[in-house]
Every structure is written in structure tokens, then in C-alpha cells.
Amino acid sequence: MAATDVVRPGAPPARERAYEELEQLFAGVDAPFALVDLDAMWSNARELLGRAAGRPIRVASKSVRCRSLLAAILETPGFHGLMTFTLQESLWLHGHGFDDLLLAYPTADRTALAELARIETERPPILMVDSVDHLDYIQAAAGAAGRPIRVCLELDTGWWPFGGRLKVGAKRSPLRTPGQAQALAHEIVSRPGFELAALMGYEAHIAGVGDRPLDRRLQGHLIRLMKRRSAAELAERRAAVVDAVRQVAPVPIVNGGGTGSVHTTRREAVITEVTAGSGFFAPLLFDRYADFSLTPAAMFAMPVVRRPSGGVATLLGGGYPASGGAGRDRLPAPYLPRGLRLDPQEGGGEVQTPVIGAAAASLRIGDRVYLRHAKAGELCERFKALYLVRGGEIVDEVPTYRGEGRTEL
Ligand SMILES: Cc1ncc(COP(=O)(O)O)c(C=O)c1O
């Protein structure tokens, strides 16, 4: 899967595929199956690189969950290093030769911490910390490691307007101010078992919130306003935090952003790299951003197994809701053929998913419906393999994390 011709700057965005085209390609394959359209994925990669405008992009492994795709992406100039999501996963990837790993979420896995302390390597995965408790926990579990354990300090990016009466943002780190960050930095450097290697702040309420909600113009306007205000406040605070922390240690990595904010986060001078993952697969939630558009790349096909009535075709399984505040936007959606939607009573089901709409009447038993997941990598927890499509052919079939026997989160 050579990445060379993949990200030709200036190439036009990939087009969306037609139902007939996919049906022809997959005529000999029985559903359920999942696929990634490489033309769309590389087109999305180009889009991300364009918005990053030269800032290196760290790839969020949770949003891809397929080792061979991650490796191919990392061969492409502009992408470097992985943002991982569990320590077991990080160690596994490290064992497979991935060596620039930033674990973005604190770990309480004592077994994996003990293993981390034992591995012989120049660049072990970096662990996330936001408190002295984290340091104590790591120290107790890892014991006396041969070399310092590298840690990343996480900054809270939330927006707290009206004197803090409103708090917008994910509940992640307690560290907000330069003083708080500097105090923890002092604590880290005072402990011989640790090295302060990075600083991260993920603005989930900017990067992960679509600002073009369907049929809700006013809400979209308010979200965009919130994002602008919050980004301005964060830029100032993050610069002050980095400055305060660098008075203690020369922290080389300052990571921020996600697919939805690559183009704004990268403008901050202190940012050394941005993160993106979902943008490669372009799941449903990423259809609803005002500033950029991606091409759907990952989808799954389910067979029609019943026709309960003229206007309904019932698919096998398909109820793969995405994580997050439960709402309709977390459900998968029929994609191809066009003109289908979920039945509002049943949604996506464990064993069956009825679809309705204009195209339902012409579907027959054994026909396939292609659906898109609301989020990116979670799809890979449902399938052992991904068919890779390029041009007019299926070029490969590669295992997902799950296909390699891994169940992360
Ligand atoms: C720490 C962190 N950084 C970046 C991201 C952005 O990932 P993506 O580009 O897949 O939205 C996430 C997503 O949840 C995250 O948790």
C-alpha cells in the first residue's frame, strides 16, 4: 500500500462512489463486511495536510484501529507518530516497530506499567499525567525502571465564560493555569524516575463538535461563536502554560487539536504538532463542520434478509451506535443506495435493522445496504477485517485490531 502517489498536493478531492460500483466490486463477497475506500482516505489525508499547513500531524490510532493502515499513513510525509489510547495497545504497537507513541489517556494498568518499565528502548511510549496521584501510581506500579518514564502533562482546554458560571469542555485534566502546570512540572523533574517529554491539550469542544447541525441554523451560529471565543482564550492560556512549563523543563512536544480543529489549532505558535484520526475515515459526525468537507471512506455492508412490507427492507444486525452522549447522531446511517433511512421505532438493532425510504421498495433478499458509522475507529471493533478498495478494484483485505485478537476499548 505505497503512500507515495497518495497525497499529491492539489489533486481534486475523491468523489463518492455509486452503489452500483460497490455492488460490482463486492459481487463475490457475502455481507456483513466492512471496507475502506483508499481513494477517499488519501483524499482526506490530503485535506488534513492542507489544513495543517506544514504542522506535523500525529495520527490518533483509536480512530483507525488497523495496524496496516496506520503504517501506510505514517509513511506519508506530514504524518508522524501515533496518539495511542491504551498502554497495552501502545506496547503492542511498539513491539511492531512503531516508536513515536503518545498515550493520550491516563492509565491504571499495573501490568502494562510494569512491562513498560522493563522494555529496552530509546523511545518508550509517553504516558499522560495530570496530577501527583498519577505520578505516585506509575511509580508504584512500574517500580525502579532502568531509565526515566516519559510523561506528558495534560492541560484542561475548557472554556469557562461568565466568571466560570458556565463550563464548556470535556472533563479531563484539573490543570488549567500556568501556575498549576508549572507546579506539576516541578514535581515531575524532582523525581528521578520521570522525564517531562510533552504537553497536550485537546480542545474536544472545538475539534469534536460539528458546527453545522442539520436544520438548526441558530445552534450552528452559537457553536461557531463558542468555538471562536474559546479558541482565542485557549491560545493565550496555552502559550502562558507552555512558557511556565518550559521554565522548568525543555518540553519538546506541544500537542493539540483534532480533525475538527487542525486548521485553527495549528495557528498557535507554541503548537509543535496537531492530532488527527477521524478525518481519514470521515464518519457521519464529520459531515457537519462548516470549515471543511471530507469524502466518506469507511463503511460497512449488511444484507437484506427480510421484507416485512412493501416499504421496508430489514437488514441483518447493523446496530452499531457510537460512543458519547446518546442521541440520534450516534446511530449509523444507511448510505448507499441513496434514499434510505433508519426506522425511527427500531433504530439500528442488535440482530436486525429495518430501513425505510424511497429505495427500500426495490431491495430484494440478499441485496446489500452500505452504512456509515457515526464515529471512525469504533467500526473496527465490529469487523475482523477491512476490504481496501482503490480505483476499480479490491486491492487488499487487512485485519483490524480486533482481527488481530485485540479488544481495546
Ligand atoms: C486527546 C485527543 N486528541 C485528539 C483527538 C482527535 O481525534 P480525531 O481526529 O479522531 O477526532 C482526540 C479524540 O477524541 C483525543 O482524545
Side-chain angles (χ1 to χ4, degrees):
M1 202 191 318
T4 41
D5 50 332
V6 152
V7 278
R8 270 171 297 129
R15 62 175 178 80
E16 295 190 39
R17 287 184 189 262
Y19 180 65
E20 295 69 26
E21 203 181 335
L22 288 176
E23 278 300 87
Q24 210 173 355
L25 279 172
F26 287 98
V29 180
D30 282 323
F33 60 84
L35 70 104
V36 170
D37 176 350
L38 291 178
D39 297 326
M41 190 187 87
W42 293 124
S43 161
N44 296 336
R46 280 197 298 277
E47 197 283 337
L48 288 167
L49 290 171
R51 275 192 293 132
R55 279 276 191 267
I57 299 180
R58 185 175 290 277
V59 180
S61 67
K62 75 175 178 68
S63 304
V64 178
R65 302 191 201 203
C66 170
R67 198 155 54 87
S68 54
L69 286 180
L70 289 171
I73 291 167
L74 290 179
E75 277 175 30
T76 311
F79 297 105
H80 85 100
L82 292 180
M83 172 172 281
T84 53
F85 64 119
T86 74
L87 184 52
Q88 295 279 0
E89 177 219 10
S90 313
L91 294 169
W92 172 66
L93 289 170
H94 189 270
H96 281 286
F98 294 84
D99 77 337
D100 181 359
L101 304 170
L102 173 62
L103 172 57
Y105 316 93
T107 183
D109 184 337
R110 289 167 300 184
T111 312
L113 282 166
E115 196 183 328
L116 173 72
R118 282 196 305 271
I119 57 172
E120 297 282 335
T121 174
E122 282 287 295
R123 290 212 294 175
I126 301 173
L127 303 181
M128 194 59 55
V129 297
D130 63 32
S131 62
V132 170
D133 287 350
H134 282 148
L135 301 177
D136 291 343
Y137 193 94
I138 293 168
Q139 225 159 11
R147 32 145 198 79
I149 288 186
R150 301 195 303 161
V151 293
C152 175
L153 209 148
E154 179 163 356
L155 168 71
D156 175 63
T157 60
W159 184 51
W160 294 5
F162 311 117
R165 282 195 292 281
L166 179 64
K167 291 186 175 165
V168 181
K171 296 170 185 63
R172 298 173 68 112
S173 171
L175 302 175
R176 271 187 77 74
T177 65
Q180 289 168 331
Q182 194 180 53
L184 189 58
H186 272 301
E187 183 66 34
I188 293 167
V189 301
S190 74
R191 298 188 186 205
F194 289 99
E195 177 189 323
L196 181 52
L199 197 148
M200 184 195 84
Y202 172 51
E203 51 275 58
H205 56 293
I206 300 177
V209 177
D211 46 18
R212 206 168 50 84
L214 208 55
D215 301 330
R216 293 200 213 124
R217 284 182 59 183
L218 179 63
Q219 195 180 335
H221 181 72
L222 289 174
I223 294 173
R224 288 193 294 277
L225 182 72
M226 174 278 286
K227 286 188 180 193
R228 270 199 309 277
R229 293 273 164 91
S230 175
E233 184 276 332
L234 177 60
E236 227 170 87
R237 187 157 53 85
R238 184 151 41 200
V241 165
V242 171
D243 186 46
V245 170
R246 286 211 173 123
Q247 287 169 24
V248 178
V251 197
I253 301 173
V254 179
N255 177 287
T259 292
S261 77
V262 161
H263 53 301
T264 49
T265 305
R266 61 96 176 154
R267 289 192 197 125
E268 293 180 35
V270 294
I271 287 286
T272 63
E273 57 176 43
V274 289
T275 296
S278 303
F280 295 99
F281 286 179
L284 287 167
L285 285 170
F286 285 85
D287 289 354
R288 312 243 50 93
Y289 284 72
D291 290 351
F292 58 91
S293 81
L294 302 163
T295 309
M299 58 201 83
F300 60 101
M302 302 313 263
V304 175
V305 288
R306 285 193 158 139
R307 296 299 319 272
S309 65
V312 183
T314 298
L315 314 178
L316 182 70
Y320 308 151
S323 57
R328 297 202 68 77
D329 66 343
R330 303 284 141 171
L331 295 178
Y335 173 49
L336 296 170
R338 302 272 183 199
L340 292 174
R341 60 186 191 278
L342 295 183
D343 172 73
Q345 316 266 294
E346 288 193 42
E350 180 181 7
V351 284
Q352 71 163 37
T353 296
V355 294
I356 55 178
S362 56
L363 288 171
R364 285 197 278 276
I365 307 297
D367 283 352
R368 283 81 70 81
V369 170
Y370 296 80
L371 300 99
R372 290 171 66 207
H373 201 273
K375 292 187 78 173
E378 289 174 26
L379 171 66
C380 293
E381 297 298 333
R382 299 292 187 163
F383 293 90
K384 287 184 177 170
L386 298 169
Y387 286 102
L388 303 182
V389 173
R390 183 159 199 190
E393 19 167 13
I394 300 171
V395 291
D396 210 345
E397 185 187 359
V398 292
T400 58
Y401 276 15
R402 182 178 176 176
E404 295 205 70
R406 302 203 62 85
T407 45
E408 300 302 336
L409 300 175

